[in-house]
């Protein structure tokens, strides 16, 4: 029984409906749409192409890409486009699901460039960008690696997507759904905010992301598109995105695998007015950094909640560390441990596996067994369940441990130095458990 995998009829499982927004507040000057291409021959009716466009030409763009050495064609093409334009006038994002266009050679690069040009052709009164020109569209693809895109079918449907662009909640939700692969629900968030220099101006921020498997950071581990009507110049926009990624999309793990296609992009068109953020310092920059990081973290958590076959959402918090880097390496190691993840699925309070992963975290010298403590933090607000205190095992109430592990959400707290006077540094990671269903989903992925 495939209880946790994506339903074949594209419906959202009842348990996941609470994560799908029923309304939103979307940024001025941005439009979204979707269209059905049939990138995979088996997809005969569901949209698998998404388009996001800024109606304002003077739009800044920035992106963070995978560090996997096998980088997909759309990653290469999009990075080069942003570099050539220096982040100026980046107006659109076009995405297909069903085929990653990765490890596809020169032909794959040509296909990715054609996707971008097809979208470019619709942005400037039908004037198509010349071959080798700068372009203005970020291209993304997701799906099976090693297969060529049905590029003619895709470019034929990009005008259809353009003709149906809109700024309603329905438009954004359909676009978020169209970029999904093994996801069980579309991941879409929006919110409003203000900046210190323009307290009377309300800005909006929207983000959509996809990902349920092949998720572990060495950049972003998935696809993500963020748009805001706040005025931000390209240089600070890139700095803001890179900082936000570190504590959001770079702090999640589902299965320990980093994709070849990872891309998270942000567009800022300034359509809401106000004073532009033009440097990487100042009140507006600092405020925007906090806003964007918190927003990106909330998006990233949705990816973990939709982990392939996952039954639990697990927060791993490592505190009292001499450095943030050490704390994050430890949290990451625990998050990707198959033994920890399977124990959580089995509702087994096997804290020895947590300690084991803490101890083998690479390039970490700050773990002192006699000073290390581990606890489960329940989500119902009740007292923590101490498993290890300063290297000494506690007598664990197995009944209460089992009750805590019955819940969908759980926090694992690792304290490195119990006597740290300054509290030390803290890192947070989000992960999920491993179930039988994960193997089934990935064993059947192509067949």
């Amino acid at each position: 029984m495939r209880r946790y995998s994506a339903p074949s009829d594209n419906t959202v499982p009842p348990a996941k409906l609470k994560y799908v927004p029923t309304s939103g507040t979307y940024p001025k000057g941005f439009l979204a749409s979707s269209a059905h291409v049939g990138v995979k021959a088996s997809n005969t009716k569901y949209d698998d192409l998404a388009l996001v466009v800024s109606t304002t030409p003077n739009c800044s763009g920035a992106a963070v890409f995978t560090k996997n050495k096998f980088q997909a064609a759309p990653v290469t093409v999009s990075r080069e486009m942003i570099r050539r334009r220096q982040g100026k006038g980046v107006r659109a994002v076009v995405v297909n699901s069903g085929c990653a266009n990765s490890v596809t050679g020169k032909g794959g690069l040509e296909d990715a460039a054609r996707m971008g040009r097809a979208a470019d052709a619709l942005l400037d009164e039908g004037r198509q960008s010349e071959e080798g020109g700068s372009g203005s569209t970020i291209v993304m693809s997701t799906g099976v690696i090693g297969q060529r895109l049905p590029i003619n079918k895709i470019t034929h449907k990009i005008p259809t997507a353009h003709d149906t662009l809109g700024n309603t909640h329905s438009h954004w939700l359909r676009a978020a759904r169209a970029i999904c692969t093994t996801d069980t629900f579309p991941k879409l968030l929006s919110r409003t905010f203000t900046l210190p220099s323009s307290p009377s101006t309300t800005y909006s921020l929207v983000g959509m992301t996809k990902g349920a498997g092949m998720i572990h950071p060495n950049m972003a581990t998935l696809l993500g598109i963020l748009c805001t009507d706040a005025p931000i110049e390209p240089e600070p926009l890139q700095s803001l995105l890179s900082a936000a990624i570190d504590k959001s999309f770079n702090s999640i793990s589902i299965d320990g695998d980093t994709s070849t296609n990872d891309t998270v992009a942000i567009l800022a068109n300034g359509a809401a007015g106000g004073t532009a953020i033009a440097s990487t310092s100042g009140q507006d920059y600092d405020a925007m950094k906090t806003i964007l990081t918190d927003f990106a973290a909330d998006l990233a958590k949705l990816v973990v909640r939709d982990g392939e076959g996952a039954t639990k959402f697990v927060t791993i918090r490592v505190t009292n560390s001499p450095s943030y880097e050490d704390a994050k390496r430890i949290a990451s190691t625990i998050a990707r441990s198959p033994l920890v993840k399977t124990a959580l699925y089995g509702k087994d309070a096997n804290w020895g596996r947590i300690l084991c992963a803490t101890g083998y975290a690479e390039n970490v010298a700050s773990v002192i067994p006699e000073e290390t403590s581990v606890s489960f933090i329940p989500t119902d607000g009740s007292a923590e369940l101490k498993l290890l205190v300063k290297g000494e095992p506690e007598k664990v109430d197995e009944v209460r441990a089992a009750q805590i592990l019955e819940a969908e959400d759980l926090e694992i707290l690792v304290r490195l130095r119990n006597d740290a006077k300054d509290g030390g540094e803290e890192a947070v990671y989000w992960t999920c458990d491993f179930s039988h269903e994960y193997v089934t989903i990935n064993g059947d992925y192509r067949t």
Side-chain angles (χ1 to χ4, degrees):
M1 182 176 64
R2 300 193 172 198
R3 182 178 174 187
Y4 303 107
S5 57
S8 58
D9 61 357
N10 220 34
T11 59
V12 177
K16 303 292 181 71
L17 282 172
K18 58 188 175 184
Y19 303 120
V20 181
T22 56
S23 63
T25 304
Y26 299 102
K28 298 179 177 68
F30 281 104
L31 305 173
S33 67
S34 65
H36 172 252
V37 174
V39 173
K40 294 180 73 171
S42 58
N43 176 15
T44 60
K45 58 182 178 180
Y46 300 117
D47 287 1
D48 51 1
L49 179 75
L51 182 64
V52 175
V53 172
S54 169
T55 59
T56 304
N58 186 25
C59 183
S60 300
V64 182
F65 301 97
T66 184
K67 292 182 181 178
N68 191 311
K69 291 182 175 61
F70 284 94
Q71 300 196 344
V75 169
T76 301
V77 168
S78 297
R79 179 191 285 113
E80 179 60 19
M81 183 274 290
I82 293 173
R83 185 196 65 78
R84 285 196 308 263
R85 298 194 71 99
Q86 297 181 318
K88 300 175 182 177
V90 180
R91 291 188 58 189
V93 182
V94 63
V95 191
N96 77 270
S97 63
C99 177
N101 190 13
S102 178
V103 198
T104 46
K106 293 181 180 179
L109 291 171
E110 294 169 359
D111 292 343
R114 281 187 63 186
M115 278 182 67
R117 289 197 300 271
D120 291 338
L122 303 168
L123 301 181
D124 256 338
E125 299 178 354
R127 187 171 69 251
Q128 186 168 353
S129 60
E130 297 179 359
E131 185 79 29
S134 61
S136 61
T137 299
I138 294 170
V139 179
M140 300 182 186
S141 296
T142 181
V144 177
I145 294 171
Q147 297 180 0
R148 289 283 298 274
L149 291 173
I151 190 60
N152 291 332
K153 291 171 65 176
I154 290 174
T155 55
H156 179 70
K157 284 300 183 74
I158 288 176
T160 301
H162 184 268
D163 290 344
T164 57
L165 285 165
N167 194 34
T168 68
H169 174 68
S170 179
H171 284 91
W172 285 100
L173 192 61
R174 288 199 301 269
R177 174 77 267 183
I179 67 176
C180 292
T181 50
T182 59
D183 308 60
T184 66
F185 67 93
K187 299 160 187 65
L188 176 70
L189 289 178
S190 65
R191 66 186 50 160
T192 59
F193 63 94
T194 60
L195 294 173
S197 68
S198 308
S200 61
T201 302
T202 299
Y203 298 107
S204 296
L205 179 61
V206 63
M208 68 176 77
T209 186
K210 65 82 50 186
M214 200 175 281
I215 304 293
H216 187 75
N218 205 349
M219 182 295 300
T221 63
L222 35 69
L223 300 185
I225 305 165
L226 293 83
C227 302
T228 181
D229 51 18
I232 310 173
E233 295 297 323
E235 183 180 356
L237 186 64
Q238 182 65 63
S239 175
L240 287 165
L241 180 63
S242 297
I245 290 293
D246 187 52
K247 293 188 176 182
S248 59
F249 292 109
N250 256 0
S251 292
I252 61 174
S253 182
I254 288 175
D255 48 23
D257 280 307
T258 299
S259 171
T260 58
N261 290 57
D262 303 342
T263 305
V264 173
I266 185 170
L267 303 180
N269 65 8
T275 304
I277 298 176
S279 71
T280 55
S281 62
Q283 281 188 319
D284 281 0
Y285 178 87
D286 292 342
M288 191 69 212
K289 184 177 179 180
T290 299
I291 292 164
L292 187 60
T293 299
D294 291 346
F295 183 77
D298 288 343
L299 266 179
K301 291 175 190 177
L302 291 178
V303 174
V304 176
R305 290 195 178 278
D306 201 21
E308 290 174 343
T311 70
K312 292 192 185 329
F313 176 85
V314 185
T315 299
I316 300 172
R317 191 180 306 274
V318 178
T319 66
N320 296 354
S321 172
S323 70
Y324 172 75
E325 290 73 21
D326 273 12
K328 188 171 182 180
R329 287 190 188 103
I330 294 168
S332 173
T333 304
I334 296 169
R336 68 175 184 267
S337 165
L339 290 178
V340 171
K341 295 160 81 70
T342 50
L344 293 172
Y345 172 65
K347 304 179 181 66
D348 180 8
N350 194 341
W351 54 266
R353 295 180 177 183
I354 300 170
L355 261 293
C356 182
T358 300
Y360 68 67
E362 295 182 355
N363 301 315
V364 174
S366 58
V367 176
I368 302 172
E370 296 77 14
E371 295 185 4
T372 302
S373 300
V374 177
S375 296
F376 285 158
I377 308 297
T379 56
D380 61 4
S382 60
E384 67 181 279
L385 178 63
K386 296 180 179 180
L387 306 170
L388 185 81
V389 177
K390 291 189 176 182
E392 292 292 331
E394 294 289 290
K395 186 176 180 180
V396 178
D397 183 342
E398 295 290 348
V399 174
R400 181 160 186 256
Q403 291 173 342
I404 292 172
L405 290 171
E406 280 287 342
E408 180 181 348
D409 288 23
L410 169 72
E411 179 176 323
I412 296 172
L413 174 62
V414 177
R415 297 183 180 92
L416 296 185
R417 296 180 300 161
N418 288 272
D419 58 352
K421 294 180 181 179
D422 60 356
E425 296 293 329
E426 174 182 305
V428 178
Y429 229 84
W430 297 283
T431 190
C432 58
D433 57 349
F434 263 165
S435 70
H436 302 288
E437 187 69 10
Y438 177 84
V439 178
T440 300
I441 293 168
N442 285 281
D444 291 351
Y445 186 62
R446 291 202 312 153
T447 58

